[in-house]
Amino acid sequence: MKKNKAVIYWLLTGCALIFVMVLVGGITRLTHSGLSISDYKLIHGTLPPMNEQAWEEAFELYKQYPEYQKLNSHFDLEDFKDIYFWEWLHRFIGRFIGIVFILPFLYFLVTKKLDRSTIKKCLVLLFLGGFQGFLGWYMVKSGLVDRPDVSHFRLAAHLTTAFVTFAYSLWVALDLIYPTKKEVNIKIRNLVRIGLAVLLLQIIWGAFVAGLDAGFIHNHWPMMSEGKLMHETVYIEHQPVIKNFYEGKSGVQFVHRYLAYIVVGFILWIWFRTRKVERTPIQENGLKTLLALVFLQFVLGVLTLIYAVPLWLGIAHQIGAFFLLAAMTFTLHRFTK
């Protein structure tokens, strides 16, 4: 680990920055700030408008698009500045992450600090980072045409790619922190792999909920509105019926609600199964953290729903998902290598 210390710190710094970017992205979404910057300038867009004339030009550009025309025609310049800030900060952090990943990578490459395997993994990370940036702009474009809102599919792709990039960065760092391979219990490893897949599925549907603003309906628990396990709006919004579960507000919330039980149940099953095998202290710590975080995330989800997504709870719930994914990734790594 000592010879790779600088590389490990670099990768973990990347993880921390991705976390901050997703946090700011969540605030951007919940404050409806994501469509405030309707053009993309890689270099010139690094700084916000620096004088009153530049602000007026940015505001005039915003007025040309559906969000202002259909939702925010009452905005003045000061209102615009408030939403502009969060989108600008989100993009600025994205640019900063690009620099933090690319420049140290080139330095480590030139100074031969990376072995062949790590170089390949880092190239995957660079691709994921670039793809994430493309998805961000692709998402914003969907809200600049007819509807003053982004496609929930594109939002889900953008958010999920950020989570995957974070998890993979952490995985590469863990490969360097724990270079010694050990005997693997295949059944437990595969069980945790399935748990990770189920968690990622839940994250995707969480993004659908955010993209469709589906957290503002059926604000009751454990039942949906009118004390129903499955409210009729779950299956009548769209035809065919299956479409409700990935495009209907009620249907998407229904899936997200009950996937939460499956995630909790799966992690409890992992905990139960690992009681029957020999575990290292590090594996045990990963499992305990996983168990604690899944219950915390479940409670945050229920509170977010009941209180109709106040900003701080919406952000807390997203942060909980991030930490839960980190714990799942760590646990899988420790039962894999």
Side-chain angles (χ1 to χ4, degrees):
M1 177 177 168
K2 284 185 178 179
K3 68 175 183 177
N4 293 316
K5 188 177 287 188
V7 179
I8 292 167
Y9 286 153
W10 165 57
L11 290 166
L12 293 179
T13 298
C15 288
L17 286 171
I18 294 170
F19 167 75
V20 172
M21 186 171 183
V22 172
L23 172 63
V24 172
I27 296 173
T28 302
R29 174 64 195 172
L30 290 169
T31 56
H32 302 285
S33 304
L35 297 176
S36 57
I37 304 177
S38 47
D39 59 352
Y40 185 78
K41 297 175 181 176
L42 183 60
I43 305 300
H44 294 300
T46 303
L47 296 176
M50 302 302 290
N51 55 53
E52 203 65 19
Q53 181 183 346
W55 274 114
E56 289 289 353
E57 289 173 0
F59 190 30
E60 287 302 316
L61 183 62
Y62 177 65
K63 289 179 180 180
Q64 297 173 24
Y65 292 96
E67 184 173 80
Y68 176 82
Q69 294 166 358
K70 296 181 179 181
L71 293 178
N72 294 335
S73 57
H74 60 286
F75 268 27
D76 60 21
L77 184 58
E78 292 306 312
D79 295 320
F80 173 69
K81 287 180 179 180
D82 287 341
I83 61 171
Y84 188 100
F85 169 77
W86 289 112
E87 177 62 10
W88 170 81
L89 182 61
H90 187 53
R91 295 190 188 194
F92 178 82
I93 295 169
R95 290 180 174 92
F96 184 64
I97 289 174
I99 294 170
V100 167
F101 267 101
I102 293 170
L103 294 185
F105 170 69
L106 293 175
Y107 169 76
F108 292 135
L109 198 61
V110 170
T111 55
K112 303 186 186 306
K113 300 281 187 182
L114 306 173
D115 59 33
R116 183 169 295 183
S117 174
T118 306
I119 290 171
K120 290 178 180 177
K121 294 169 189 173
C122 288
L123 288 173
V124 172
L125 277 175
L126 290 172
F127 168 78
L128 285 171
F131 186 56
Q132 169 69 0
F134 162 76
L135 284 175
W137 177 237
Y138 184 61
M139 175 187 71
V140 168
K141 280 183 68 177
S142 67
L144 300 177
V145 185
D146 301 312
R147 239 171 24 106
D149 205 356
V150 299
S151 160
H152 68 289
F153 293 119
R154 297 187 190 186
L155 173 68
H158 183 52
L159 181 64
T160 305
T161 304
F163 274 85
V164 169
T165 306
F166 166 83
Y168 190 65
S169 300
L170 179 59
W171 188 275
V172 178
L174 291 171
D175 279 347
L176 298 175
I177 294 170
Y178 302 105
T180 306
K181 296 192 176 183
K182 60 183 185 303
E183 188 177 344
V184 175
N185 185 316
I186 303 297
K187 289 183 179 179
I188 297 297
R189 182 201 65 187
N190 290 346
L191 186 64
V192 182
R193 279 181 176 177
I194 296 169
L196 176 61
V198 173
L199 177 59
L200 285 172
L201 198 63
Q202 174 69 329
I203 288 169
I204 291 169
W205 253 264
F208 286 171
V209 169
L212 291 170
D213 290 328
F216 297 99
I217 57 173
H218 304 302
N219 300 112
H220 311 277
W221 187 84
M223 299 299 179
M224 300 182 81
S225 296
E226 300 167 20
K228 296 180 179 179
L229 184 70
M230 184 180 191
H231 197 266
E232 59 269 15
T233 52
V234 169
Y235 50 83
I236 64 172
E237 285 184 58
H238 297 281
Q239 290 296 328
V241 172
I242 189 66
K243 196 175 181 181
N244 290 283
F245 299 104
Y246 55 85
E247 285 198 22
K249 289 188 178 186
S250 294
V252 162
Q253 192 198 104
F254 175 83
V255 174
H256 193 54
R257 275 174 175 259
Y258 293 104
L259 263 178
Y261 292 104
I262 294 173
V263 171
V264 172
F266 220 101
I267 290 175
L268 283 171
W269 181 238
I270 291 169
W271 173 267
F272 175 75
R273 286 292 304 277
T274 53
R275 299 303 91 193
K276 300 179 180 180
V277 301
E278 187 177 344
R279 304 169 306 282
T280 66
I282 292 174
Q283 288 172 332
E284 183 68 17
N285 289 338
L287 289 164
K288 287 179 179 178
T289 304
L290 191 59
L291 196 64
L293 284 173
V294 77
F295 281 112
L296 175 62
Q297 177 65 350
F298 187 88
V299 170
L300 284 171
V302 170
L303 292 175
T304 302
L305 182 66
I306 290 173
Y307 291 103
V309 202
L311 179 62
W312 72 273
L313 264 176
I315 296 303
H317 188 47
Q318 187 163 299
I319 290 172
F322 221 97
F323 282 120
L324 184 57
L325 179 64
M328 185 69 87
T329 303
F330 179 84
T331 302
L332 177 59
H333 191 277
R334 291 299 72 225
F335 279 99
T336 300
K337 296 185 177 183

